[in-house]
Amino acid sequence: MADIVIDRVVKEFGTFRALQEVSLTVNDGEFVALLGPSGCGKTTLLRIIAGLETQTSGRIVIGGQDVSNLAPRKRGLAMVFQNYAVFPHMTVFENVAFGLRMQKAQQTEVKRKVERAAALLHIESYLDRYPAKLSGGQRQRVAVARALAVEPAVLLMDEPLSNLDALLRLEMRTELKAVLREAGTTTIYVTHDQTEAMGLADRIAVMYGGKIDQIGSPLEIYATPATRFVGGFIGSPPMNFIKVQCSQGTARIGDAALPCPATSKDIELGLRGEDASLSPDGSGIPFDIRVVEPMGSHLLLTGSIDGQSARIVAPPIAKVNAGQRVGLTVDPTRVTWIDSITGRAIA
Amino acid sequence: MPARTSWIPYALIAPSVVFLGALFLVPLVQTIWLSFSAGDGFSLENYQRMAGDLNFSLAVRNTFLLTLVVVPLQVVLALAMATMVTKLDKGRDLVLWVLTIPLGISDLAAGLAWLALLQNTGYLNSALYALGLIQGPVGWLSQETPWALFFAIVLAELWRATAIVLVILIAGLQLIPKEFSEAAEIFGAKPWTRFMRITLPLLKPSLQSALILRTVLAFEVFAVVYALGGRNFPVLAGEAYVWQNDNQNYGVAAAYAVLIMAISLAATAVYLRVLRTRPEQLP
């Protein structure tokens, strides 16, 4: 088992800086998700950790050993690729056995380890088939089994579920979590899907523009986003940002008053749609409803607060209509205050 | 609607069918018929005459020898070149363009170019003489130096026709997603192992096409051999030419043509069987 230290890694493609001094420590046995929109540098960072890409500067240390200049095969890791990269000309057995064969393992050991990995991923019954005969979900299992068969110290996963349909993705996600928990492998998992990151990871590193904006547990990231980007990227619907005036420690919106940090004049109220509730008497923050979408488990209300668009989540049985003005009550401890200029949360 | 338009596909391929029928199928049948007829009906006389000729066994031996030496060398060279070209970041198109120039030159012109290099008063002898390595003109392409002649023909053929294999293999390499090689690298495969275990098996369909094309063409080798060695190095296609033009015996010439076709078909059948990719192993 091994920890991973990413130390001020920079990657430049020509004049474009894909990664700007990224540092991150992943503890032994921890599951960290690199979460961000496409183009944020998360896959580049993963490929640098794997050794498939060379960093412009900075170091990668795995299990105490500086691997920055080592070939991928000498880094003691395994990887699951976005399009699985299951070898089409080999049977499922030979695919899963590939890493062990490269280690020149004894045939009996190969058989034992392949069978164990296959059992873990429930692919025992297709070991003698070729990948072309398998569905996307089954190929995905083969790719994960191939990675786990070598009992790697570090497992890297690059959007492994993104090619699966929604239902299968949910099923694989649950299963992956159970399998990896059992294996206890240090894992870095790249995804653009926040529900995957929230559901799987011990900690999430939210990346944006070649930097890590915030690292924390899923709950921390959700409840206390460090930047406007993190608040807007995580959560469905995304966090609302309402520009308000903060004077003498109080922000007034309609007839509601919220205590605000008086460090800056231009601040934004970061409010999660589910942290506001409809007040019974219409008092509080005025919210003009434009569209009501019944989602089954809740109502999604889209409208505006003080002329700025916002989305609010209401109970499914709430009696509200489009065009109506309602009042919202907000727990002041559950809001985030953002500096309008820097985009960072005010602590 | 479909009923009314059902003749359109046939109409569209009709010109090609007519073209192939008139200019390929008819002459083919005629040639086969010609080779099996002498005087007043079916006869194996042409084949007996062909097999009984002094140069026949020499031509068979030389043609097979050339093919067995040239084609594997071309595949190995083209594989090496293709691997290098696909690794290039800059100037790749230029390198590829230069490497494929020989493809645009006709067989005979290529043969004559190499003749200019290798004949008694050619550039090679001039250079060797200038360096003081030889005292006077040395004949490389004569009957007395069969191995030098063979080597010269192999060299000229390598220069002339390796690029077609290269082009097919580069196209094939580009079809292989780089993730396969990357995955193999992550799981511990060294470069040579990756090439042997991943790249080569996935390149099999392209290798098959290249081998069929090159082998068929190698069995038909003629112009380069004729330019460099004349009849000092008899090959099957050259003998067909001699019987057709010098001896004016079309029947024996046709027998040679049919023999070349039979050998080519057999080689193609072997490649199709040995290098077949089962559908479930396709990417």
Side-chain angles (χ1 to χ4, degrees):
Chain A
M1 294 296 125
D3 59 337
I4 306 167
V5 179
I6 298 157
D7 181 19
R8 286 166 293 160
V9 165
V10 174
K11 177 67 182 179
E12 287 164 356
F13 292 105
T15 56
F16 174 66
R17 218 160 201 234
L19 291 175
Q20 0 209 1
E21 289 221 351
V22 172
S23 293
L24 170 68
T25 302
V26 181
N27 301 317
D28 184 16
E30 196 181 21
F31 191 127
V32 167
L34 299 179
L35 174 65
S38 51
C40 71
K42 57 191 192 298
T43 294
T44 305
L45 181 59
L46 192 79
R47 290 174 61 83
I48 287 174
I49 300 168
L52 295 172
E53 210 86 63
T54 314
Q55 66 280 7
T56 309
S57 67
R59 288 188 318 146
I60 305 286
V61 180
I62 298 177
Q65 189 196 6
D66 187 339
V67 299
S68 310
N69 300 311
L70 289 186
R73 65 173 188 276
K74 293 183 180 151
R75 296 190 179 198
L77 42 80
M79 185 162 168
V80 178
F81 290 77
Q82 184 172 6
N83 54 8
Y84 323 137
V86 171
F87 305 127
H89 58 295
M90 296 181 194
T91 59
V92 170
F93 184 97
E94 282 308 318
N95 264 287
V96 178
F98 189 84
L100 300 164
R101 297 254 191 254
M102 291 301 116
Q103 295 170 0
K104 308 238 186 308
Q106 296 289 318
Q107 179 61 24
T108 50
E109 196 195 342
V110 170
K111 197 157 182 300
R112 187 173 57 79
K113 288 189 172 174
V114 168
E115 275 164 5
R116 201 176 57 196
L120 210 53
L121 275 299
H122 308 298
I123 54 169
E124 307 100 310
S125 52
Y126 4 102
L127 279 176
D128 53 353
R129 287 199 215 165
Y130 284 95
K133 295 272 179 202
L134 304 181
S135 69
Q138 291 167 332
R139 272 185 237 185
Q140 173 60 48
R141 287 165 190 272
V142 175
V144 176
R146 176 175 67 182
L148 292 180
V150 294
E151 293 163 5
V154 169
L155 177 61
L156 307 177
M157 301 183 119
D158 185 9
E159 309 227 12
L161 305 184
S162 64
N163 286 352
L164 302 180
D165 62 57
L167 207 62
L168 203 54
R169 198 179 309 166
L170 187 66
E171 190 191 311
M172 273 303 292
R173 196 172 82 204
T174 313
E175 212 164 307
L176 208 52
K177 182 155 188 167
V179 165
L180 291 177
R181 176 130 307 163
E182 199 172 317
T185 312
T186 311
T187 307
I188 299 185
Y189 186 102
V190 162
T191 181
H192 65 267
D193 182 336
Q194 48 161 315
T195 54
E196 259 175 42
M198 305 275 283
L200 286 168
D202 298 322
R203 283 193 300 152
I204 298 175
V206 184
M207 290 188 71
Y208 180 60
K211 296 195 308 273
I212 294 179
D213 261 20
Q214 188 175 5
I215 307 171
S217 72
L219 273 181
E220 269 167 36
I221 289 203
Y222 184 79
T224 54
T227 64
R228 189 198 289 124
F229 170 78
V230 174
F233 192 72
I234 307 267
S236 174
M239 186 177 253
N240 300 297
F241 298 102
I242 313 293
K243 285 199 169 65
V244 294
Q245 292 288 319
C246 186
S247 59
Q248 290 153 356
T250 307
R252 296 196 169 277
I253 313 164
D255 59 359
L258 285 170
C260 62
T263 49
S264 164
K265 203 162 165 296
D266 293 312
I267 64 170
E268 290 170 22
L269 165 66
L271 174 63
R272 291 234 172 256
E274 55 273 35
D275 286 341
S277 49
L278 303 172
S279 60
D281 54 355
S283 65
I285 300 173
F287 177 57
D288 297 308
I289 302 172
R290 198 152 48 81
V291 179
V292 178
E293 293 169 78
M295 308 304 287
S297 63
H298 61 271
L299 290 180
L300 178 59
L301 312 177
T302 306
S304 57
I305 296 172
D306 199 16
Q308 302 168 61
S309 83
R311 285 207 172 91
I312 298 297
V313 172
I317 46 154
K319 295 268 183 292
V320 287
N321 295 303
Q324 193 184 345
R325 170 174 280 203
V326 295
L328 302 175
T329 53
V330 171
D331 178 353
T333 62
R334 304 201 61 159
V335 301
T336 303
W337 295 98
I338 305 275
D339 185 322
S340 280
I341 295 152
T342 62
R344 302 201 69 82
I346 301 162
Chain B
M1 282 303 272
R4 217 186 60 177
T5 54
S6 63
W7 56 272
I8 288 182
Y10 297 98
L12 289 174
I13 61 162
S16 332
V17 172
V18 171
F19 180 86
L20 277 175
L23 298 173
F24 180 75
L25 217 53
V26 171
L28 177 70
V29 172
Q30 278 179 338
T31 306
I32 294 172
W33 172 246
L34 188 62
S35 73
F36 282 110
S37 58
D40 50 344
F42 179 84
S43 152
L44 289 174
E45 198 189 311
N46 290 324
Y47 286 92
Q48 283 158 355
R49 239 181 127 178
M50 171 179 83
D53 186 62
L54 261 182
N55 271 343
F56 175 74
S57 54
L58 213 52
V60 171
R61 192 202 71 177
N62 286 344
T63 306
F64 272 87
L65 199 61
L66 258 185
T67 306
L68 288 176
V69 171
V70 169
V71 174
L73 273 176
Q74 282 178 328
V75 169
V76 171
L77 273 175
L79 267 175
M81 284 153 75
T83 311
M84 285 190 271
V85 168
T86 48
K87 289 265 192 300
L88 289 177
D89 286 330
K90 283 179 194 157
R92 183 169 140 180
D93 288 350
L94 182 73
V95 171
L96 195 56
W97 187 77
V98 170
L99 289 176
T100 49
I101 286 176
L103 280 185
I105 295 169
S106 83
D107 302 17
L108 191 60
L112 292 173
W114 281 90
L115 183 68
L117 284 171
L118 302 174
Q119 66 180 330
N120 291 3
T121 55
Y123 296 109
L124 179 66
N125 277 343
S126 308
L128 292 177
Y129 183 73
L131 289 170
L133 295 173
I134 53 174
Q135 305 307 316
V138 179
W140 304 106
L141 307 173
S142 72
Q143 218 163 1
E144 287 79 53
T145 55
W147 287 108
L149 177 57
F150 177 72
F151 185 71
I153 293 169
V154 168
L155 206 62
E157 277 292 289
L158 288 183
W159 179 83
R160 189 184 66 80
T162 302
I164 186 70
V165 184
L166 175 70
V167 169
I168 295 172
L169 293 188
I170 283 181
L173 280 175
Q174 282 169 344
L175 287 178
I176 304 175
K178 69 175 183 350
E179 283 81 5
F180 290 137
S181 194
E182 285 179 351
E185 193 176 354
I186 293 268
F187 287 105
K190 292 175 184 156
W192 181 248
T193 315
R194 292 205 294 277
F195 180 75
M196 294 303 287
R197 297 276 313 257
I198 307 296
T199 310
L200 215 48
L202 293 176
L203 199 57
K204 214 162 68 173
S206 303
L207 272 174
Q208 189 187 50
S209 310
L211 274 168
I212 290 175
L213 188 67
R214 259 319 292 153
T215 307
V216 167
L217 290 174
F219 280 123
E220 292 170 9
V221 69
F222 171 55
V224 167
V225 175
Y226 207 69
L228 287 177
R231 278 191 94 185
N232 290 338
F233 192 84
V235 288
L236 289 172
E239 289 310 295
Y241 175 81
V242 169
W243 280 95
Q244 172 95 5
N245 287 302
D246 299 355
N247 304 351
Q248 298 278 314
N249 188 328
Y250 302 144
V252 178
Y256 268 107
V258 172
L259 177 67
I260 294 170
M261 187 180 75
I263 294 170
S264 299
L265 282 176
T268 305
V270 168
Y271 285 136
L272 286 178
R273 170 126 197 95
V274 173
L275 290 176
R276 77 182 182 286
T277 308
R278 291 152 68 185
E280 68 265 30
Q281 292 183 331
L282 286 171

